Amino acid sequence: MSLSFTRHRRLRQSAAIRSMVRETVLTPADFIQPIYVTYGEGVKQDIKSMPGVYRFSLDMLEEELLEIVSLNIPAVLLFGIPETKDSVGSSAYADNGIVQEATRLIKSRYPDLLVIADTCLCEFTDHGHCGMVHTYEHDGELCGDVLNDESLELLVKTAVSQAQAGADIIAPSNMMDGFVQAIRGGLDEAGFSHIPIMSYSVKYASAFYGPFREAAGSAPQFGDRKTYQMDPANAREALREAESDVLEGADMLMVKPSLSYLDVMRTLKDQFDLPLVAYNVSGEYAMVKAAALNGWIDEKAMVLEILTSMKRAGADMIITYSAKDAAKWLQDGGR
């Protein structure tokens, strides 16, 4: 019998063939591991909504760093939980701030491990917003407006202090208009023209951030962040945000979250030639962990499939709380 259809299954007949023709390949070099650092001694505190993720005091970082380096993960993303907060987030740009101290420690012990400093104010302000606010009462409730241009000055101070502490990459996540231009100018003026900016270019006002806000203690005390983070319904707006960052001097673009925004990632990859970063955020991690702990899914298979989808959509780097697990699984043969 003569058959005319194409036999696609020929290239799926064995693991060896599938491996040879695989179009998208994950490696530990693709990953960036987030780390939460805090004050105190002997602190390795569980984050209940993110099993396997912890807050570390500086004296407890060594074991975590050693594991990250041994797994050939090239970079960490630092988030800090300060001792005190105020209305202008002064701990974010203090010379002895927790992110600055952690950066110095990491670079002294593991100079080849890239330190990426998250540059925002929300963890450091007593109101939980990503910039300065003008507060007022309305119908007996506290309200506030986030002040864009005034916030830029504080973000520049934060970025410069992080660079002075030894950060290899500055990653501003605040979504203020003009933040890349302001930070680029501030870094250049302070003698850090060689420090790249990994911009949170397309950051949505997402429900997937809930566990992070527990981990970092950064939930807004009033209102929400919808006036500066993007509407999840919008895709074309992402192009405008990214184009602004490109023109202002960003070296890398990011889409956050990633799993529900793979279409946006693909669009940015097709439109711009800068490296693209995916942020596999806390809520995405928590969903998988919860299902795995209930025995409903194969965690290894699902995590690797999710991360592969992000790389297939165009990501050159992936920030993920699963970095260590994924690196171990890949070393053991992956799928």
Side-chain angles (χ1 to χ4, degrees):
M1 180 174 61
S2 177
L3 300 175
S4 60
F5 54 80
T6 303
R7 295 192 177 274
H8 299 287
R9 291 178 57 191
R10 289 173 182 150
L11 299 182
R12 304 172 192 154
Q13 290 303 303
S14 68
I17 292 176
R18 292 192 296 273
S19 178
M20 288 179 66
V21 301
R22 186 164 293 144
E23 300 170 21
T24 305
V25 179
L26 279 176
T27 75
D30 296 323
F31 303 144
I32 298 166
Q33 174 71 52
I35 296 180
Y36 296 93
V37 289
T38 190
Y39 287 97
E41 294 182 358
V43 178
K44 184 179 179 181
Q45 185 179 23
D46 290 310
I47 299 169
K48 293 181 180 178
S49 57
M50 289 194 286
V53 180
Y54 305 90
R55 298 185 191 93
F56 295 98
S57 55
L58 299 186
D59 62 314
M60 297 294 287
L61 267 181
E62 178 63 32
E63 183 179 351
E64 179 79 353
L65 295 172
L66 183 60
E67 184 177 20
I68 289 168
V69 170
S70 69
L71 290 168
N72 296 315
I73 296 168
V76 296
L77 175 63
L78 287 184
F79 296 100
I81 297 93
E83 282 186 305
T84 60
K85 302 185 180 190
D86 57 35
S87 62
V88 295
S90 59
S91 294
Y93 44 85
D95 182 60
N96 62 346
I98 187 61
V99 170
Q100 288 79 356
E101 294 289 1
T103 299
R104 293 187 188 99
L105 183 149
I106 293 170
K107 296 306 292 185
S108 69
R109 297 186 184 178
Y110 298 97
D112 293 331
L113 181 64
L114 292 174
V115 172
I116 304 169
D118 180 80
T119 306
C120 197
L121 301 178
C122 61
E123 299 112 286
F124 304 93
T125 55
D126 52 16
H127 47 73
H129 281 284
C130 301
M132 291 180 64
V133 299
H134 166 65
T135 57
Y136 56 92
E137 282 196 11
H138 179 69
D139 292 336
E141 291 188 6
L142 182 64
C143 302
D145 298 320
V146 178
L147 305 175
N148 192 93
D149 296 5
E150 294 86 344
S151 299
L152 295 179
E153 297 178 19
L154 301 184
L155 293 164
V156 170
K157 291 175 66 175
T158 302
V160 170
S161 73
Q162 291 168 338
Q164 289 171 336
D168 298 288
I169 298 172
I170 297 299
S173 60
N174 53 87
M175 288 297 284
M176 296 296 109
D177 290 338
F179 69 96
V180 172
Q181 177 177 296
I183 289 172
R184 182 73 274 159
L187 289 171
D188 291 355
E189 185 176 344
F192 297 105
S193 59
H194 60 288
I195 297 292
I197 294 176
M198 176 189 286
S199 174
Y200 286 63
S201 301
V202 180
K203 183 178 180 181
Y204 286 91
S206 172
F208 285 99
Y209 303 149
F212 171 86
R213 291 175 182 171
E214 176 202 341
S218 63
Q221 297 304 300
F222 56 85
D224 53 41
R225 295 178 177 150
K226 293 180 181 179
T227 64
Y228 47 103
Q229 295 178 0
M230 284 178 53
D231 185 339
N234 292 357
R236 293 193 303 273
E237 184 182 4
L239 286 172
R240 299 196 296 272
E241 286 280 1
E243 183 178 22
S244 294
D245 288 0
V246 172
L247 295 174
E248 291 176 17
D251 300 282
M252 292 169 263
L253 306 176
M254 186 191 302
V255 175
K256 179 185 181 183
S258 295
L259 186 57
S260 291
Y261 300 90
L262 297 179
D263 59 322
V264 176
M265 290 180 57
R266 185 70 258 169
T267 299
L268 261 63
K269 188 69 172 182
D270 291 341
Q271 293 293 321
F272 305 103
D273 61 1
L274 293 183
L276 183 62
V277 185
Y279 199 144
N280 179 210
V281 299
S282 60
E284 297 166 351
Y285 174 87
M287 289 191 307
V288 173
K289 275 291 183 184
L293 289 170
N294 278 286
W296 297 337
I297 61 166
D298 179 335
E299 181 181 7
K300 170 184 172 182
M302 182 168 285
V303 167
L304 293 179
E305 184 174 340
I306 288 171
L307 298 179
T308 299
S309 76
M310 294 173 183
K311 191 168 183 183
R312 190 185 67 242
D316 299 290
M317 292 157 272
I318 304 172
I319 302 167
T320 175
Y321 298 95
S322 299
K324 293 188 297 180
D325 286 339
K328 292 172 188 174
W329 293 328
L330 291 171
Q331 287 181 359
D332 292 338
R335 291 175 292 180

